[in-house]
Amino acid sequence: MIPKLRHYTKQTLTNSCAAIVVYSLSLVMAGSGDLETLRCIRQVRNHLTDPPSVESDSFIYGVQTFCNTALGFLFLGNARYGFSQSTEATAMLLISSYPIFSQSICDQKHYFQPLRFLWSIATEYRHLTPVDDSSYEAIRMQAKITVAGENEKPLILQLPSVLPPLSSIKKIVFYARDYKEVELDMSNAEDKAELEKVLKEYFGRFPVKKVVKQYSKVFDSPPVFKLSDTFDCAPIRNDSFLLNLPLG
């Protein structure tokens, strides 16, 4: 798509708009590691083909800054973190994402570049990993998450995975075949505090109790049946019918 737009606009304008678009997309897909988003970012980075000059070098610095930051957002914290939806986090993201392209690392004329790192205040750990409470080994579980909104259709995830924004979650239920089902209601202060403690202090490792099922044992050994136990008397042998059989 980018090569087609160059027939109608200048390359600097096209690359600037494309860099802002992929930067905005990475904010939405932060921490997901989405492959299609990664391809879009790489396409923008690989189409900076202006001939070397002072003007092009200063422009490329700004576009590369946005593209590289977008890559960092896409794999935020090894795809274990996400951006919070709180008011403070939104303000930090707005300040750090102001769409002004600096010409060099020392260019503070239009934007104070250290403010670009305020996005780090807006991050939150959202990777949930259920573990066995006795062996502390990671296990796979299904999670049914109810998210607040008009369409409250449950979201099904395969844990370990990254949760949706914590402020939008209403209820989480995760279950497995041999483990106890766990239900966390975010409207309950205790459940909400428990989940936040697991994510902040234990890096998302949620202990789950294993259920030991008791099976009834019918036979200690394979049953043995004797013919004498079945019949009280010996069978009567009658050979007289053999005399009436036709010969030949």
Side-chain angles (χ1 to χ4, degrees):
M1 181 177 179
I2 295 178
K4 295 180 180 179
L5 292 176
R6 288 177 179 168
H7 296 289
Y8 306 99
T9 60
K10 292 184 178 181
Q11 183 178 358
T12 55
L13 178 60
T14 303
N15 290 336
S16 300
C17 295
I20 294 175
V21 169
V22 296
Y23 185 87
S24 304
L25 181 60
S26 67
L27 288 174
V28 178
M29 305 298 294
S32 65
D34 183 65
L35 182 59
E36 293 298 328
T37 306
L38 176 62
R39 289 173 178 170
C40 293
I41 298 173
R42 291 185 61 186
Q43 185 179 13
V44 175
R45 292 180 73 247
N46 295 337
H47 279 83
L48 300 176
T49 56
D50 278 341
S53 64
V54 176
E55 182 180 357
S56 64
D57 290 344
S58 61
F59 167 75
I60 288 176
Y61 171 80
V63 175
Q64 289 285 353
T65 300
F66 271 71
C67 291
N68 293 333
T69 307
L71 283 174
F73 288 165
L74 188 62
F75 298 95
L76 191 63
N78 291 330
R80 294 174 179 266
Y81 283 77
F83 288 122
S84 174
Q85 293 185 345
S86 63
T87 306
E88 295 80 5
T90 305
M92 295 300 104
L93 286 176
L94 180 61
I95 296 173
S96 63
S97 305
Y98 201 70
I100 291 182
F101 292 89
S102 302
Q103 297 183 0
S104 66
I105 194 173
C106 300
D107 182 17
Q108 316 291 342
K109 184 177 181 181
H110 301 289
Y111 184 82
F112 188 52
Q113 292 194 54
L115 296 179
R116 293 286 183 201
F117 300 97
L118 288 179
W119 58 263
S120 59
I121 305 177
T123 59
E124 62 180 4
Y125 194 93
R126 296 211 303 255
H127 191 271
L128 186 63
T129 305
V131 296
D132 192 296
D133 64 342
S134 58
S135 62
Y136 294 100
E137 295 182 356
I139 57 177
R140 290 185 177 273
M141 299 186 74
Q142 291 284 343
K144 184 185 295 184
I145 303 175
T146 304
V147 182
E150 297 180 359
N151 185 13
E152 296 186 357
K153 185 178 180 180
L155 177 65
I156 306 298
L157 292 179
Q158 179 76 29
L159 299 179
S161 179
V162 178
L163 299 176
L166 301 181
S167 58
S168 64
I169 297 177
K170 298 181 64 177
K171 186 172 67 174
I172 303 177
V173 179
F174 45 98
Y175 49 89
R177 180 179 180 181
D178 297 329
Y179 290 88
K180 184 179 179 181
E181 181 178 305
V182 179
E183 180 176 347
L184 298 176
D185 189 358
M186 294 296 101
S187 60
N188 188 353
E190 295 182 359
D191 291 349
K192 185 177 181 180
E194 182 181 3
L195 180 60
E196 291 178 351
K197 181 179 179 180
V198 167
L199 294 175
K200 292 180 181 179
E201 299 183 10
Y202 302 114
F203 298 98
R205 298 177 66 86
F206 196 100
V208 183
K209 186 176 181 180
K210 191 171 185 178
V211 178
V212 180
K213 297 182 179 180
Q214 299 292 337
Y215 297 96
S216 60
K217 204 170 184 181
V218 180
F219 298 107
D220 294 333
S221 60
V224 178
F225 298 98
K226 295 181 180 180
L227 187 61
S228 60
D229 297 337
T230 307
F231 301 98
D232 295 335
C233 59
I236 300 175
R237 184 176 180 181
N238 187 5
D239 297 336
S240 60
F241 73 96
L242 296 176
L243 301 175
N244 300 325
L245 292 177
L247 299 177

